[in-house]
Amino acid sequence: YLKERTNLVTVFVLIDSRHEPQNLDLAFLRKLGEWGVPFNVIFTKADKSTQREAAKNARYFIEAMKKEWEFIPRSFMTSAIKFLGRKDILGYIDELNQAFVLPEEPKGE
C-alpha cells in the first residue's frame, strides 16, 4: 500500500516518547526512505512520563536519524490526554491539503 499509493502525501509514523530510539522504528523509517515514501514523526504518550524525559527521548531519536538522513522530517510531540500537539498536527494536515488541492474543472454553462 505505501509503495503503490501515488496520491499519498505523507505517512505519520507514531513513536512512543517514553523510550529511547528503537532499532525497529529506525529500520522502518529507513525502508520508507528506500521506497521514497514521505513521512513525518509523531512522538506519542508525552503525558505518560515527564516532559523532560519525553523531550530527551525525542531528541535522541532525531539525533539517531541525523546519522543516516540528510533531511529530518517535521516531528510533533503529542499527548492524547492533554491534547498536546493536536492543533499543530491538524494545522500541518491543513497545510498539506491546501498544497495538494487539485484545481476545479470549469463548469459548463
Side-chain angles (χ1 to χ4, degrees):
Y1 177 84
L2 295 175
K3 290 183 351 181
E4 304 298 325
R5 190 71 181 203
T6 58
N7 63 346
L8 185 65
V9 176
T10 193
V11 172
F12 288 104
V13 180
L14 306 180
I15 304 294
D16 190 331
S17 69
R18 297 175 296 174
H19 305 291
E20 291 188 8
Q22 303 294 304
N23 287 332
L24 185 63
D25 295 327
L26 294 167
F28 179 67
L29 297 183
R30 193 175 307 114
K31 187 57 73 176
L32 289 176
E34 289 171 13
W35 293 338
V37 175
F39 66 89
N40 296 95
V41 177
I42 297 180
F43 294 102
T44 64
K45 302 180 183 177
D47 55 305
K48 302 289 184 184
S49 63
T50 66
Q51 190 175 25
R52 182 178 302 211
E53 185 74 16
K56 179 188 77 163
N57 288 333
R59 187 175 65 251
Y60 286 167
F61 194 90
I62 298 299
E63 287 173 8
M65 286 185 67
K66 286 180 179 178
K67 293 176 183 175
E68 296 182 43
W69 293 86
E70 183 177 332
F71 171 75
I72 303 300
R74 190 165 173 181
S75 63
F76 304 88
M77 183 65 70
T78 66
S79 161
I81 293 172
K82 298 178 182 179
F83 301 106
L84 174 69
R86 182 177 187 270
K87 284 184 180 181
D88 291 337
I89 293 170
L90 291 176
Y92 182 64
I93 291 170
D94 189 48
E95 286 175 34
L96 293 175
N97 285 335
Q98 296 301 318
F100 292 98
V101 170
L102 297 175
E104 288 187 33
E105 293 185 22
K107 296 182 181 183
E109 292 183 36

